[in-house]
Every structure is written in C-alpha cells, then in structure tokens.
Amino acid sequence: ASLVLQRAFWRKRAREHAKKRKYLAALGACEHNVRWSSSDEYPPRGTKPWELYKDYRWVLALENSAEPGYVTEKLVNAMASGAVPVYYGDSRAARKVFKRGTFVDVLEIWRLKGHVPGDPEVPGSPPTEADWDVIADYVVAIDRDPDLYAKFFAHSNALNEEPESEVYDDAVKFE
C-alpha cells in the first residue's frame, strides 16, 4: 500500500512504521523522500491537492489542531484523490459531513479495539508507537483484502446527508 503523509509532527513516527511495513511517501518539505518528477523535487505551485495523492491508495490525514469541531481540507483532499483517508482528528465532527465507512477513523479504531492511546504514565500524552502500530495493522489488513478495501467506495456519495447524533466519549482524546 502506498501512503502519503500530511502532517509534519507525525512524520518521524510514521516513517518508522513505514520501514517496518510498506512504503510511505512524504511529499512536503518535512521528511521529504519522493521526487515529483525527474526535473522537479517538489510538486509545482498550484498543483491541486487531490492531484498530489491520485497515485496513492491511502492518505494519512492528520489535523493540525485538537480543537473539537475542527475539520479541515485534509479529509476532503484525500477523498477527492480517490485514496482512502486515514483520519486523525475530531472524527465526530467529520462524520457530520462524511458517512461512516468512507474513511479510516483512527480514534474509532482505537475505541473499538479497547485501546487507549498515549503513555499511561502521562495523562494527555500524544499517541505512542504502539498506538500507531494498532492503526498500521488495521490498514495493512484492509489493504491485503480487496473486498474490505472496496467497502470504502461502496457508497454512491460520501457526504452524510443525515449527520449522526453522537454522545461524546471523553475516554478517547487526541492531542
């Protein structure tokens, strides 16, 4: 599976996972490891984000802020490219816009697996390498099963016309 990373803060940790698993492309300046073309190191200015990701099956879309209700273009750009977003952000807010099952919801996967991210000795700490291993294992399993992967594209429309009504679970937080 090819995966492209969008958030500088997590690149080092994600690169460590990529070494253990499969290929990870870092297209931006931080941890840059992919030439855009034989003549260009970086994508030309004005390249549409969905064009950046069109050759990837997965896009790791990590929000820059942990504010409730904060959802940016990262999820949209990944979906528009035809890749499956692996989304780390306020997924409850994201599901007000997009249907469940159209993206990998990192917080939901941890919750369903009974996994509480972060260092148990440091409340409020960011996810650890072991936390990201849970997500990497999940994505690799889907990538190896064409039927599971195809389920992300089974919806005729990814937009959630009837947003979910949810109770916020304070047990899972992101930093």
Side-chain angles (χ1 to χ4, degrees):
S2 293
L3 178 76
V4 64
L5 188 60
Q6 291 187 339
R7 175 128 158 77
F9 181 77
W10 299 106
R11 287 180 195 223
K12 182 178 179 185
R13 190 166 286 153
R15 280 183 60 124
E16 291 167 3
H17 287 288
K19 288 177 188 174
K20 290 190 289 185
R21 300 179 180 282
K22 292 192 175 194
Y23 182 73
L24 180 117
L27 302 178
C30 184
E31 301 287 334
H32 182 75
N33 68 352
V34 175
R35 289 189 65 86
W36 180 253
S37 69
S38 60
S39 59
D40 296 309
E41 183 72 21
Y42 295 98
R45 289 203 185 280
T47 303
K48 304 294 185 220
W50 51 90
E51 293 172 358
L52 294 174
Y53 312 134
K54 67 180 174 50
D55 295 329
Y56 298 94
R57 290 171 55 90
W58 304 92
V59 173
L60 186 54
L62 303 169
E63 293 294 4
N64 296 319
S65 174
E67 296 298 318
Y70 183 79
V71 179
T72 67
E73 78 288 349
K74 292 171 179 63
L75 187 55
V76 174
N77 290 339
M79 285 184 174
S81 74
V84 176
V86 179
Y87 185 70
Y88 180 73
D90 187 350
S91 54
R92 293 167 293 203
R95 286 194 308 268
K96 302 284 184 205
V97 180
F98 298 104
K99 291 178 183 170
R100 186 182 296 267
T102 58
F103 60 96
V104 173
D105 180 344
V106 170
L107 297 177
E108 181 77 357
I109 300 309
W110 285 333
R111 188 186 69 74
L112 290 173
K113 293 186 174 289
H115 185 85
V116 179
D119 182 343
E121 302 295 319
V122 183
S125 62
T128 65
E129 185 172 335
D131 300 330
W132 288 109
D133 277 337
V134 170
I135 300 305
D137 290 343
Y138 182 82
V139 169
V140 168
I142 292 169
D143 195 64
R144 290 180 176 161
D145 185 326
D147 293 331
L148 286 177
Y149 184 78
K151 286 182 180 181
F152 286 96
F153 304 99
H155 303 276
S156 61
N157 180 359
L159 293 177
N160 200 352
E161 295 162 4
E162 296 182 25
E164 297 178 14
S165 175
E166 299 184 43
V167 175
Y168 277 63
D169 178 5
D170 292 332
V172 177
K173 297 181 179 184
F174 63 100
E175 299 294 325

